Amino acid sequence: MKAKEIQDLIDFIAKSGLDEVNIETESFKLNVKRSSSLVTKAIETTSQQIFAPVATPIAPVVQTVATQPVVSIPAAEPVAASSNTVIVRSPMIGTFYRSSNPETPAFVEVGAEVKKGQVVCIIEAMKLFNEIESEVSGRIVKVLVENATPVEYDQPLFIVEPN
């Protein structure tokens, strides 16, 4: 299941009356629950289970167990209604890298043209390197994060002027 499909599933569940959905394949397990009170989140590992109480207001909680990372990638959002730019945000917490290794050039530079689906950076999370793709075609106006620095979920990474 691709990240976009998972995002669409979560959005569908949020809009529907469903309280819980469980999907399991050979490569991952996905549990989505909606609750208005205290939620207990369990993430299975190979040797143990970890339980942590999490207080959340009526929002989906995603639990995954996978051999490959399951990444929810938010769509790029307009910076302002009157502006002709979009902002590409981080889909996860991790370390931001502009290139695949220190000896290679950055994936994109200011002024570079990007296409939808083109890799613009890498975010390392828990020793896994996740390629982050542009959600829009256009020109990079600004890089908002320094190389090899920590980023938060939903943190702005790039400003793109769409074609």
Side-chain angles (χ1 to χ4, degrees), residues 54-82:
V54 178
T56 183
I58 308 179
V61 173
V62 179
Q63 304 167 1
T64 61
V65 175
T67 56
Q68 294 294 320
V70 178
V71 179
S72 175
I73 302 176
E77 299 174 8
V79 173
S82 63

Side-chain angles (χ1 to χ4, degrees), residues 34-37 39 54-60:
R34 181 185 2 203
S35 176
S36 60
S37 62
V39 175
V54 178
T56 183
I58 308 179

Side-chain angles (χ1 to χ4, degrees), residues 99-149:
S99 63
S100 57
N101 66 55
E103 291 80 37
T104 60
F107 290 110
V108 293
E109 295 289 346
V110 173
E113 292 291 323
V114 294
K115 295 184 175 128
K116 184 175 182 176
Q118 179 180 340
V119 175
V120 293
C121 67
I122 291 177
I123 296 182
E124 177 191 5
M126 297 177 63
K127 305 290 184 199
L128 296 173
F129 292 86
N130 303 281
E131 292 182 337
I132 308 305
E133 299 175 349
S134 175
E135 292 292 320
V136 296
S137 293
R139 184 178 58 85
I140 300 291
V141 175
K142 189 170 187 178
V143 179
L144 302 170
V145 181
E146 292 294 321
N147 191 46
T149 58

Side-chain angles (χ1 to χ4, degrees), residues 13-86:
I13 293 168
K15 292 176 185 173
S16 73
L18 297 173
D19 289 327
E20 182 175 351
V21 173
N22 298 317
I23 299 173
E24 188 170 346
T25 68
E26 293 177 5
S27 60
F28 72 92
K29 179 178 177 182
L30 174 71
N31 298 321
V32 180
K33 293 181 183 181
R34 181 185 2 203
S35 176
S36 60
S37 62
L38 186 68
V39 175
T40 300
K41 181 177 177 183
I43 300 176
E44 295 180 32
T45 63
T46 55
S47 62
Q48 64 180 347
Q49 286 193 349
I50 302 169
F51 294 94
V54 178
T56 183
I58 308 179
V61 173
V62 179
Q63 304 167 1
T64 61
V65 175
T67 56
Q68 294 294 320
V70 178
V71 179
S72 175
I73 302 176
E77 299 174 8
V79 173
S82 63
S83 176
N84 189 29
T85 60
V86 293

